[in-house]
Amino acid sequence: MAETNAEEGGSNGNSLTSIVNMLKRGDVALALGVTAILVVLILPMPSWMLDVSLAVSMTFSVLILMTVLFIGKPLEFSSFPTVLLIATMMRLALNMASTRLILSEGHDGTDAAGKVIEAFGNFVMSGSFVIGIIIFGILVIVNFIVITKGSGRIAEVSARFSLDAMPGKQMAIDADLSAGLIDEATARARRKELEDESNFFGSMDGAAKFVRGDAIAGLMITFINVIGGMIIGVAQKDLSFGEAAETYTLLTVGDGLVSQIPALIVSTAAGLLITKSAGTGSMDKALIGQLSGYPLALGLSAFLMLALALLPGIPALPFLTLSAIAGGLAWMASKRNAKISAETALLAKSEAAAAPVAEEPIANALQIDHVRLELGYGLLPMINGQGGQRLTDQIKSLRRQLAQEIGFVMPSVRIQDNLQLPANTYVIRVKEIEAGRGELRPNMLLVMDPRGEKIPLPGEETVEPTFGLPALWCEEGSREEALFRGYTVVDPPTVVTTHLTEMIKDNMSELLSYAETQKLLDEQDSEQQKLIADLIPSQITVGGLQRVLQNLLAERVSIRDLPTILEGVSEACGYTRNVTAITEHVRARLARQISNDQVNPQGFIPMITLSPQWEQAFAEAIVGEGEERQLSMAPTRLQEFIAAVRQTFERHAMLGESPVLLTSPPVRPFVRSIIERFRPATVVLSQNEVHAKAKIKTLGQI
């Protein structure tokens, strides 16, 4: 038995919890509320519940009015038509409930329909039902003829004008979007707001009919209650005509006032909301700001109030007080306007003195920086702090150095601060794409051991950003000891410059554009112009020459000796138009330069040769003719070759040597295309590129 009770108790608890959770949902609560309003139209309501419901109706109406007063623009209260319908239905339902109580219980006394209706009736009628009827009639006239009719007319005109103006506003949004003044998201938001505005004013046009119908219904219900109540009181309840008139009139007028006052409040809110359609901001700011914005109007009002106070028979105190208030407001407004005018004039003068800034053309957004250095805010003192232009001076020297080494002037480096980067981080971008980044310690020195051993100095261990070598950030006081130990010591600007140099060398082929190639040709001496005229465009185009130069730069071959390059191109064009073949011929013409670049400090070129077996394997794997030549080697054989190259070169790197790989001329481009993917710093030479007078030393064979 106990278990059964426990189960029932648990079941009841779960049911109660389910009901509470259901009521917490807004959609369920709204549905129950609307259903309750419809039920009141049919079922009778006790007087105490009617009192509570009338209080809720009054509070709801005041809440609507306050919301309208404090919103910024009408669309912030876009649910107003729905709220208006619910408020109207609530009042009509309460009217029906109070009518039922008045006609059925009115003969028992003036409290038959609850205390709220009785209180309103006694307070307004002041002992005379004639006074109550007149006051009620005036309220209905004010609501029906003045407020409701005006609000309905404004709503109708606003809806019509909003609909007529929609195509023009849509075209204006599309024009701003096409001109680039706004983006797609902003245009979408504006179209949505325009659609909501049109729907709102259309709904308000229909909602105004609710207010008008509510006023008519209130008047008719009051008339029916008075006539019906007197008939019931005299004919059925045996009341005298005077008693019936006093009782039912008090109840009916009280009922009418309780329903008409909320109706008047909601009608006023509707009128305020509709008339506010042209402005933004809360209503108090709009009214006070505009009414107090004209000192002359306030001054004339003060003068008229003073003139009225001097008229005989008119009480002077109220008008004198109002005149003083209006005059004070006029003086304050005049001072405020003068201050605003002075500030506006000063601002206009300063703007006129400043040079007008021309609007940046949209085409500038299409331009990209060929080389850009972005610095975190902690590295900006390298440019703007003590030492001034140290970093920029090093970059200028770098451009001159690269021009001497490579043969063309690299694009200007744009230095830009980037607050999104960590404070001590820099990023190097080539054509807007990140090519490298590193982290510095301002006011410290980067110490590196050429032997790659650990540095026994106090500091912060790090990795050198350019070559990935182990390094150490030390204080300035450790410089002497580091130099004494034979370590390499560099400051932060030098670290950035070194990293920038390597990144530019790695991307030189991309930085050599068609325009730069044409510029190199135009800057050649007059003695070379005849060769250029014979070569371009009859034998090769500027674009073809650009590709040859890019191939050379991709392997860090200087193009400073451009006359020799042009001669080699002219010779190669006599038997081929293949850019790769032309490049190989040019490299053979530059054999003296290329060989000199690979000589080590001992005065010879260290070499590792390609075995005859691999030479034959590569030669047999080349398929196609002319421009269609390509390497077609089995992946397993390629892996064997890669492993052999890596093992051999790493063994010599441990001995401190950096040899070049020597191949036959036909296979050199294909061998280089493989090696550059895993050892890009390894130089691959053909036998034709080794100058006859160069000293060589063969270290091994692959």
Side-chain angles (χ1 to χ4, degrees):
M1 188 68 174
E3 294 179 357
T4 303
N5 292 336
E7 292 177 357
E8 292 178 354
S11 177
N12 293 336
N14 293 334
S15 300
L16 182 59
T17 303
S18 300
I19 293 174
V20 172
N21 292 333
M22 184 176 63
L23 291 178
K24 287 182 180 179
R25 293 180 52 184
D27 53 352
V28 176
L30 179 61
L32 292 177
V34 174
T35 304
I37 292 174
L38 298 177
V39 169
V40 171
L41 290 171
I42 303 172
L43 300 180
M45 177 184 292
S47 59
W48 64 269
M49 185 178 292
L50 181 62
D51 289 341
V52 175
S53 301
L54 290 173
V56 170
S57 175
M58 188 74 68
T59 305
F60 189 39
S61 302
V62 174
L63 175 62
I64 294 173
L65 178 61
M66 294 298 106
T67 302
V68 170
L69 288 175
F70 287 104
I71 61 173
K73 54 184 180 180
L75 285 182
E76 293 180 12
F77 199 1
S78 58
S79 61
F80 184 82
T82 304
V83 172
L84 185 61
L85 175 60
I86 294 175
T88 303
M89 287 300 300
M90 182 186 298
R91 288 195 304 274
L92 292 176
L94 294 179
N95 253 335
M96 181 66 72
S98 61
T99 298
R100 186 181 288 109
L101 288 175
I102 290 172
L103 296 180
S104 61
E105 307 292 340
H107 61 279
D108 293 336
T110 56
D111 61 348
K115 299 296 183 181
V116 174
I117 292 178
E118 182 184 20
F120 268 84
N122 287 327
F123 176 75
V124 174
M125 289 177 62
S126 301
S128 173
F129 67 87
V130 177
I131 296 176
I133 292 175
I134 294 174
I135 293 176
F136 173 75
I138 293 174
L139 281 176
V140 171
I141 292 173
V142 169
N143 187 17
F144 178 65
I145 297 180
V146 180
I147 299 177
T148 303
K149 189 174 183 179
S151 299
R153 180 57 179 166
I154 294 176
E156 180 182 352
V157 173
S158 299
R160 184 183 305 168
F161 285 176
S162 176
L163 185 61
D164 293 342
M166 181 177 289
K169 293 180 179 180
Q170 288 277 15
M171 293 175 63
I173 295 173
D174 294 339
D176 290 346
L177 179 61
S178 301
L181 302 178
I182 58 176
D183 55 12
E184 183 63 33
T186 305
R188 193 181 302 110
R190 288 190 182 181
R191 292 192 190 99
K192 182 65 169 59
E193 183 179 0
L194 184 61
E195 181 182 354
D196 292 343
E197 180 181 339
S198 177
N199 293 336
F200 172 74
F201 287 118
S203 300
M204 284 302 299
D205 185 21
K209 305 301 188 294
F210 296 152
V211 180
R212 180 182 180 88
D214 184 28
I216 297 174
L219 182 62
M220 296 180 64
I221 290 172
T222 302
F223 177 76
I224 292 173
N225 285 348
V226 172
I227 301 301
M230 293 182 65
I231 293 174
I232 292 174
V234 174
Q236 296 182 359
K237 304 301 180 180
D238 297 329
L239 296 178
S240 64
F241 181 81
E243 292 175 343
E246 182 178 357
T247 300
Y248 286 101
T249 302
L250 185 143
L251 290 172
T252 302
V253 172
D255 177 36
L257 290 174
V258 172
S259 62
Q260 282 302 310
I261 289 177
L264 182 62
I265 294 174
V266 173
S267 300
T268 304
L272 290 173
L273 186 65
I274 291 297
T275 54
K276 194 180 184 301
S277 60
T280 57
S282 58
M283 197 156 294
D284 61 319
K285 295 180 181 179
L287 291 176
I288 296 176
Q290 295 175 15
L291 288 178
S292 63
Y294 301 95
L296 183 60
L298 290 171
L300 290 176
S301 300
F303 175 76
L304 290 177
M305 293 301 102
L306 179 62
L308 288 174
L310 298 178
L311 291 177
I314 291 182
L317 183 60
F319 291 96
L320 289 176
T321 303
L322 293 174
S323 176
I325 293 174
L329 291 176
W331 181 79
M332 293 173 60
S334 178
K335 297 288 289 183
R336 185 186 70 241
N337 290 352
K339 182 180 179 180
I340 294 175
S341 299
E343 293 177 352
T344 304
L346 182 62
L347 180 61
K349 185 177 180 181
S350 62
E351 290 179 352
V357 180
E359 183 179 355
E360 184 179 6
I362 298 179
N364 291 352
L366 302 177
Q367 300 178 0
I368 63 174
D369 297 324
H370 291 280
V371 182
R372 185 168 71 202
L373 175 62
E374 298 180 355
L375 302 176
Y377 66 88
L379 303 181
L380 294 180
M382 291 195 305
I383 300 175
N384 301 324
Q386 288 184 331
Q389 303 296 319
R390 186 173 186 183
L391 178 59
T392 55
D393 290 343
Q394 289 193 11
I395 292 177
K396 290 179 182 178
S397 301
L398 169 62
R399 297 185 68 206
R400 183 175 297 275
Q401 175 188 347
L402 288 176
Q404 293 175 349
E405 292 181 0
I406 305 302
F408 84 102
V409 180
M410 58 169 280
S412 300
V413 180
R414 181 182 180 186
I415 303 177
Q416 179 181 5
D417 62 319
N418 188 346
L419 297 180
Q420 296 181 352
L421 291 176
N424 296 329
T425 301
Y426 68 90
V427 173
I428 300 172
R429 296 185 182 274
V430 176
K431 291 189 175 181
E432 305 287 346
I433 299 175
E434 180 176 333
R437 69 165 57 205
E439 189 171 350
L440 304 178
R441 294 293 180 266
N443 304 320
M444 298 182 73
L445 299 174
L446 186 68
V447 180
M448 293 171 288
D449 187 353
R451 298 177 298 273
E453 299 178 359
K454 186 174 182 181
I455 302 174
L457 292 176
E460 178 185 346
E461 293 185 357
T462 184
V463 176
E464 194 274 334
T466 306
F467 303 104
L469 302 175
L472 190 74
W473 286 108
C474 295
E475 297 293 340
E476 182 71 27
S478 302
R479 178 193 290 268
E480 297 298 331
E481 182 179 357
L483 293 175
F484 178 77
R485 291 174 179 264
Y487 298 149
T488 303
V489 181
V490 294
D491 55 7
T494 304
V495 175
V496 176
T497 307
T498 304
H499 199 177
L500 183 63
T501 302
E502 291 302 315
M503 292 300 100
I504 290 175
K505 287 183 177 180
D506 287 342
N507 297 275
M508 285 186 298
S509 59
E510 293 188 23
L511 295 175
L512 180 64
S513 62
Y514 184 96
E516 287 292 335
T517 304
Q518 184 65 57
K519 185 177 179 182
L520 289 175
L521 295 175
D522 294 339
E523 291 178 351
Q524 292 299 306
D525 296 336
S526 57
E527 292 84 357
Q528 307 298 329
Q529 294 301 322
K530 181 64 170 67
L531 173 61
I532 296 174
D534 292 342
L535 182 64
I536 298 173
S538 59
Q539 299 184 54
I540 192 172
T541 63
V542 176
L545 179 61
Q546 176 193 357
R547 290 181 58 191
V548 173
L549 298 179
Q550 286 177 334
N551 290 340
L552 295 174
L553 291 175
E555 298 188 44
R556 299 197 177 187
V557 177
S558 173
I559 60 172
R560 186 179 180 188
D561 190 6
L562 191 58
T564 302
I565 295 175
L566 294 176
E567 292 173 3
V569 171
S570 178
E571 294 170 357
C573 287
Y575 63 87
T576 183
R577 290 292 188 269
N578 187 295
V579 175
T580 302
I582 295 174
T583 304
E584 294 302 308
H585 184 83
V586 170
R587 288 177 63 91
R589 287 293 304 268
L590 296 174
R592 185 170 178 271
Q593 170 191 314
I594 295 175
S595 298
N596 182 71
D597 292 339
Q598 306 306 322
V599 174
N600 63 8
Q602 287 75 32
F604 60 84
I605 303 175
M607 290 185 178
I608 293 177
T609 61
L610 196 63
S611 66
Q613 292 80 8
W614 279 115
E615 288 278 0
Q616 183 178 359
F618 273 97
E620 293 175 351
I622 299 174
V623 298
E625 296 293 336
E627 293 285 351
E628 303 297 328
R629 295 183 69 199
Q630 57 184 355
L631 185 67
S632 177
M633 182 177 287
T636 55
R637 292 287 287 166
L638 286 176
Q639 290 299 326
E640 292 177 11
F641 177 73
I642 292 172
V645 171
R646 182 179 284 118
Q647 180 180 1
T648 303
F649 275 86
E650 287 180 357
R651 182 174 65 251
H652 287 85
M654 294 176 64
L655 300 176
E657 298 173 342
S658 299
V660 301
L661 180 61
L662 185 67
T663 70
S664 61
V667 303
R668 194 208 74 86
F670 303 99
V671 174
R672 170 62 187 173
S673 66
I674 296 174
I675 291 181
E676 69 179 350
R677 299 184 182 276
F678 65 97
R679 288 187 64 87
T682 300
V683 178
V684 181
L685 300 182
S686 71
Q687 297 159 355
N688 293 342
E689 297 167 17
V690 180
H691 194 260
K693 295 183 179 181
K695 297 180 180 180
I696 62 175
K697 181 179 180 180
T698 303
L699 304 180
Q701 188 181 69
I702 297 177

